[in-house]
Amino acid sequence: MKALVIGSINDTGLIGLAQRLEKPEIHYLLIGSGDAAQLGKYGVSKVYQLAAPVDETSFAETLVDLINKETYSLVLAPVSKYFKTAIPMAAQKMSAPLLVDVVDIKQVGNAFTVVFNGIGNRAQVTIKVTDKAFLMAPPTRFKPGENPTGTTTETLQPKSVGAIKVVSTEEKPKGRVRIEDAELIVSVGRGFKKQDDLKLAFELAEVLGAEIGCSRPIAADLKWLGEDHWVGLSGHKVRPKLYLAIGISGQPQHLAGMMESKTVVVINNDPNAPFFKNCDYGVVEDLYKFVPALTKRLKEVLKK
Amino acid sequence: MEIVVLVKLALDTGQLRMTETKIDLEATPLKISDIDRNAVEEAIRVREKVGGKVHVISALKYGPIQKRQQEAESLLREALAMGADDAYLIIDDLLLNSDQLMTAKAIAAAIRKLGSYDLVIAGEATIDGYTSQVGPRVAAELGIPVVTFVRELKVEGNKAIAKRDLEDAVQTVEAALPALITVTREINVPRIPPLLQIRAAMKKPINRLSLADLGLSLKPTVEVESIVPVQVKRKGVIIKEGTLDEKVDKLIQALIQEGLITPR
């Protein structure tokens, strides 16, 4: 079965997903720079390298042409806003399904089954696909196995559709956080009354050696923290050993982003906050009193 | 200006009817997908500035139709109460639990049936599927430009100027109309309609469309084999009695027991 993996040189995790097919022939559509030949290590027999970055619509058109030429059964892409725009357009043009947040695939003869997180991240859905399909998943979820092979590289000239004119691009301040990989997370929500007060959480996080996460309003509305801190269905999905939520009420969209956490601690002064129904340890207390007291005591316990 | 707004009647994921092994989709109530309220609001704001009509289009994805029809229509009345002019409900057994390819084909056919249209607005994603794909799919089906993840929208003459909220940048783009825009929750605060408008909405038309009405015969490309709830067992230990220091100590004891911190 022929599969095309799309991504930057850092998205090779998705090759691991493609390798779950029986005797797959794997091609890679490499976006941006990077050593294409090194992909041969994972059994990628052909690399298409996109000559220049393009808008989503042009990318979709370019992809459709490539799929028609190579007759791929399966196309796999990372989850990002760029691909969430481009891949559905390509899928519609190919009259094919697109499954998002995929966790597994299995080949059954000429068909395959796909397992993905659905229904507000509350269920694993298994579906059967008989013809070609598009899949999206976070590359970090998978690891490619080594299976060295010779690789040929070809430069792909993108089509330019020009449906949209980019007037300006304003970079957001760059964070350094990769919250998806954090082992300990202290996460903040609307219980904090002003931006300056977040330092209470920063101090706690420092003592624990934790990264800082936040709910939607903190990143998207108030912009007190960058989006790289945002945990939730439309932010990042995290799976730390400890998720310590301070002043977060626990809306379903937030819970969907941290369900895979091992231990969940919730600090909130409202005993009716929905988060208390989804925690391992819940402390009903004013965060302005509790967090500094917890930080102080932890310093003593951890001798920091 | 003819403005179309796409509204999903989504599973209310806050009220999922589930046991350990099964999710009862048929018993789970529907609601207007949260971000689609922002889409309706934005459509009305554009109309308030440039005039025209706002048409709501919705495809019913969850059955049984007998039971859902009434529920779907009362939900669409909420969008009409906010200020939309009329609504089209695509209701057909073939669409139930179908994949987004079919949904997009049905919605695009309904949009074409309206005759002329200038602007299509949808939410960036729905609260149940959360795949963000129906907007771009409908645009591809109609062959019109798509601008996704928009947090600010202006319509000037024959073009839309939009600020897109991307992961690491805010991108300002222009697209010629007709175009499809997907909006984020930050774009506006959806209005709460006063009683008078809720009453007036009772008189606004909700048109039902079947796939036959749209001239479509569709064949599913996927088949659902199983839906297994993700069960997370939490301990649910609530610490609310005692002094501040006692609460702190209880939590620290718990963190030590869980092996999350090691006293030195």
Side-chain angles (χ1 to χ4, degrees):
Chain A
M1 191 170 280
K2 248 173 127 172
L4 177 71
V5 176
I6 304 172
S8 76
I9 199 72
N10 298 317
D11 295 327
T12 51
L14 286 178
I15 298 172
L17 182 58
Q19 284 171 339
R20 295 183 187 181
L21 298 167
E22 288 166 23
K23 296 205 190 78
E25 181 184 345
I26 303 173
H27 292 186
Y28 203 98
L29 172 46
L30 179 61
I31 296 176
S33 56
D35 178 14
Q38 80 175 66
L39 295 168
K41 184 167 69 176
Y42 305 119
V44 173
S45 57
K46 180 150 196 176
V47 179
Y48 284 99
Q49 199 153 9
L50 200 65
V54 286
D55 67 275
E56 293 96 333
T57 311
S58 303
F59 182 80
E61 295 281 346
T62 311
L63 180 59
V64 166
D65 284 354
L66 182 62
I67 295 168
N68 281 329
K69 182 182 138 204
E70 292 276 8
T71 62
Y72 297 115
S73 301
L74 213 53
V75 177
L76 306 91
V79 182
S80 71
K81 288 181 177 176
Y82 181 85
F83 291 119
K84 278 188 162 185
T85 307
I87 301 295
M89 284 192 270
Q92 191 71 15
K93 286 184 192 272
M94 301 297 301
S95 289
L98 160 61
L99 293 321
V100 178
D101 206 0
V102 171
V103 291
D104 199 10
I105 50 175
K106 200 168 82 190
Q107 193 171 335
V108 190
N110 279 330
F112 39 91
T113 57
V114 182
V115 185
F116 59 97
N117 293 322
I119 313 183
N121 213 16
R122 301 290 298 279
Q124 288 209 327
V125 184
T126 305
I127 57 133
K128 194 172 154 193
V129 187
T130 45
D131 203 351
K132 59 169 61 60
F134 291 73
L135 312 181
M136 289 174 76
T140 48
R141 186 174 284 160
F142 312 97
K143 236 183 132 82
E146 296 205 3
N147 175 28
T149 184
T151 303
T152 56
T153 303
E154 197 177 305
T155 303
L156 193 62
Q157 290 303 331
K159 277 187 161 180
S160 180
V161 179
I164 285 160
K165 186 176 139 204
V166 177
V167 180
S168 65
T169 303
E170 186 191 330
E171 300 284 323
K172 290 183 184 175
K174 279 237 173 17
R176 293 154 296 148
V177 194
R178 277 189 56 85
I179 194 94
E180 305 91 307
D181 303 334
E183 291 221 321
L184 307 169
I185 295 176
V186 170
S187 202
V188 297
R190 283 301 301 271
F192 287 87
K193 297 192 182 79
K194 50 185 204 293
Q195 185 170 8
D196 196 38
D197 298 344
L198 296 183
K199 69 173 189 288
L200 299 176
F202 297 161
E203 285 160 11
L204 174 60
E206 199 187 332
V207 175
L208 285 168
E211 297 284 3
I212 291 284
C214 69
S215 61
R216 177 168 192 131
I218 300 292
D221 301 328
L222 300 166
K223 299 187 180 300
W224 288 352
L225 290 171
E227 282 185 29
D228 43 348
H229 296 273
W230 174 1
V231 174
L233 211 42
S234 37
H236 299 281
K237 288 185 190 160
V238 298
R239 48 202 316 179
K241 285 190 198 150
L242 170 66
Y243 190 80
L244 195 154
I246 309 172
I248 300 178
S249 64
Q251 294 302 312
Q253 286 90 329
H254 183 77
L255 299 184
M258 46 66 65
M259 296 230 319
E260 292 172 67
S261 307
K262 192 170 157 287
T263 300
V264 176
V265 175
V266 169
I267 298 163
N268 204 305
N269 62 354
D270 175 10
N272 298 316
F275 220 148
F276 283 124
K277 292 200 177 75
N278 292 284
C279 71
D280 294 295
Y281 302 96
V283 182
V284 184
E285 183 59 89
D286 180 0
L287 74 90
Y288 283 90
K289 290 185 196 144
F290 188 81
V291 176
L294 178 63
T295 306
K296 183 167 168 274
R297 189 82 185 91
L298 272 173
K299 276 185 186 161
E300 294 162 15
V301 172
L302 301 173
K303 302 255 184 316
K304 280 194 176 171
Chain B
M1 180 162 288
E2 300 295 316
I3 306 160
V4 177
V5 58
L6 309 186
V7 168
K8 174 145 191 210
L9 308 176
L11 292 169
D12 185 344
T13 49
Q15 297 193 60
L16 279 181
R17 300 289 187 264
M18 58 199 282
T19 64
E20 280 192 19
T21 53
K22 197 171 167 290
I23 297 185
D24 189 351
L25 296 184
E26 292 192 357
T28 298
L30 303 182
K31 67 187 278 203
I32 291 183
S33 178
D34 300 14
I35 314 170
D36 292 351
R37 283 183 187 275
N38 299 87
V40 174
E41 175 67 33
E42 199 59 24
I44 295 166
R45 288 187 189 189
V46 173
R47 186 195 59 195
E48 284 168 354
K49 284 203 191 84
V50 303
K53 287 239 156 67
V54 173
H55 313 281
V56 174
I57 294 183
S58 186
L60 184 67
K61 297 301 296 284
Y62 303 104
I65 280 181
Q66 283 288 328
K67 172 184 166 253
R68 295 290 195 193
Q69 186 161 315
Q70 193 57 46
E71 187 182 8
E73 292 190 0
S74 17
L75 289 171
L76 291 178
R77 298 251 173 241
E78 292 180 25
L80 294 172
M82 285 174 73
D85 294 280
D86 54 18
Y88 294 82
L89 176 64
I90 310 167
I91 185 162
D92 198 304
D93 274 315
L94 269 176
L95 270 184
L96 300 180
N97 307 309
S98 69
D99 87 312
Q100 293 87 346
L101 171 69
M102 291 171 65
T103 311
K105 281 192 185 289
I107 290 171
I111 293 174
R112 280 201 206 96
K113 205 178 162 69
L114 286 177
S116 73
Y117 60 94
D118 303 290
L119 187 62
V120 184
I121 304 181
E124 61 161 301
T126 59
I127 51 158
D128 48 359
Y130 228 93
T131 69
S132 298
Q133 55 177 310
V134 169
R137 275 182 181 272
V138 169
E141 194 68 33
L142 292 171
I144 61 174
V146 60
V147 184
T148 48
F149 306 102
V150 169
R151 63 172 305 152
E152 229 180 282
L153 177 66
K154 261 194 309 200
V155 174
E156 277 176 13
N158 195 33
K159 66 183 179 196
I161 303 154
K163 280 198 174 156
R164 300 182 69 203
D165 206 341
L166 304 179
E167 283 92 347
D168 44 18
V170 175
Q171 189 185 54
T172 306
V173 303
E174 279 180 18
L177 300 181
L180 188 145
I181 309 284
T182 76
V183 301
T184 70
R185 274 165 92 158
E186 287 70 42
I187 194 166
N188 57 39
V189 179
R191 67 193 68 192
I192 309 222
L195 194 59
L196 209 63
Q197 263 177 261
I198 297 173
R199 286 220 192 100
M202 298 309 287
K203 296 202 190 76
K204 293 182 178 173
I206 297 180
N207 309 287
R208 273 179 233 153
L209 296 168
S210 67
L211 292 182
D213 293 334
L214 296 170
L216 290 176
S217 60
L218 300 173
K219 206 170 108 265
T221 53
V222 298
E223 187 187 315
V224 177
E225 288 195 338
S226 69
I227 298 177
V228 181
V230 177
Q231 282 296 331
V232 189
K233 283 261 186 313
R234 296 285 175 208
K235 296 195 176 81
V237 178
I238 303 296
I239 303 167
K240 64 175 174 199
E241 308 300 334
T243 65
L244 182 65
D245 285 344
E246 284 165 0
K247 289 179 182 177
V248 166
D249 280 336
K250 274 186 196 157
L251 180 59
I252 287 183
Q253 280 313 312
L255 294 178
I256 293 171
Q257 259 173 32
E258 296 283 350
L260 292 163
I261 55 171
T262 316
R264 284 175 189 275

